[in-house]
Amino acid sequence: MNVDLLSRPAEEVAPELLGSVLACKSSKGTVSIAITETEAYSGTADPASHAYRGRTPRNAVMFGPAGHLYVYRSHGLHWCANVVTGTDGIASAVLVRAGRVIEGEDLARRRRGEKVESPRLARGPGNFCQALGITAEHNGADLLLTGASVSLSEGESVPAALIQAGPRVGVSKAHDWQHRFYLAGDPTVSAYRLSPRAKPSAGA
DNA sequence: ATCACGATCTTT
DNA sequence: AAGATCGTGATG
């Protein structure tokens, strides 16, 4: 994966990450997942972004150089992972929402539960991280380092016609921004769900 | 009090 | 099918 590809605005990078592969190796083995759904979050101009109110200890990685992993805890029990994009010093990142397990499915299923169907192993940002084995220890990791425990690589290219854009999932602000990108008809893509607290907002 | 979640309930 | 509820803990 080329850092120049990631050093652009999140909403440009997000659709191009579809088909890319995140791999995570641990003592238990390696799981690789091809990304099928992403969401772009920018910095201070994006009301739904963690970086909207400026830099904090939690979101610091978002302000760093592209190609690193921003991991945060969601609602107390799930981990969510972002690929940091854009320029060093300016916050932006792409939330990885779903993917298809292409390596280490046994390990992924052990983590997620034996009765989970294959398409659902990495469906949803929390499930994606659980299947891949991402936790807080991976926050800030450089995804472009070869041989690192977690890394990002280019997968098979996906046909542009399959890439769809839509409103972001689960956010209470700026939910109508068309910053969610996914592969049309893919069973691993998470179901769209409007946030219960969503209010109308201006924006693209 | 809020929350970029997910599973499981309840009510149509 | 859609909406409500709750678990769980970091955050500011």
Side-chain angles (χ1 to χ4, degrees):
Chain A
M1 175 61 69
N2 182 359
V3 69
D4 293 329
L5 198 78
L6 303 174
S7 302
R8 293 181 292 128
E11 62 270 27
E12 292 182 21
V13 178
E16 296 188 9
L17 281 181
L18 298 176
S20 295
V21 174
L22 267 175
C24 185
K25 60 181 175 188
S26 71
S27 55
K28 302 281 186 182
T30 300
V31 173
S32 299
I33 303 183
I35 299 170
T36 57
E37 180 186 1
T38 60
E39 269 176 14
Y41 287 89
S42 13
T44 52
D46 182 354
S49 171
H50 286 171
Y52 184 49
R53 284 162 224 283
R55 187 183 190 131
T56 69
R58 177 176 68 154
N59 64 27
V61 176
M62 272 187 85
F63 288 79
H68 290 244
L69 195 68
Y70 166 44
V71 180
Y72 70 95
R73 175 94 85 171
S74 169
H75 294 263
L77 61 156
H78 309 288
W79 298 106
C80 295
N82 300 248
V83 176
V84 175
T85 60
T87 325
D88 192 2
I90 298 175
S92 75
V94 173
L95 172 67
V96 181
R97 287 198 56 87
R100 179 170 44 86
V101 177
I102 60 175
E103 181 189 3
E105 181 164 332
D106 293 349
L107 177 53
R109 182 168 283 105
R110 234 171 290 143
R111 287 169 171 155
R112 289 273 294 115
E114 294 297 335
K115 65 185 177 91
V116 176
E117 307 285 331
S118 296
R120 309 191 72 204
L121 285 172
R123 176 169 144 169
N127 291 335
F128 186 99
C129 283
Q130 189 178 7
L132 194 54
I134 295 294
T135 65
E137 71 183 86
H138 301 287
N139 188 36
D142 187 343
L143 298 170
L144 308 181
L145 249 40
T146 53
S149 67
V150 54
S151 62
L152 177 67
S153 59
E154 302 185 32
E156 299 176 21
S157 65
V158 308
L162 283 185
I163 299 179
Q164 298 244 318
R168 294 187 289 196
V169 173
V171 299
S172 59
K173 288 167 285 201
H175 60 88
D176 50 345
W177 288 23
Q178 304 283 300
H179 277 12
R180 171 177 179 245
F181 302 90
Y182 56 96
L183 299 182
D186 193 297
T188 65
V189 172
S190 63
Y192 175 70
R193 179 173 147 28
L194 185 65
S195 167
R197 285 183 286 281
K199 296 168 198 159
S201 90

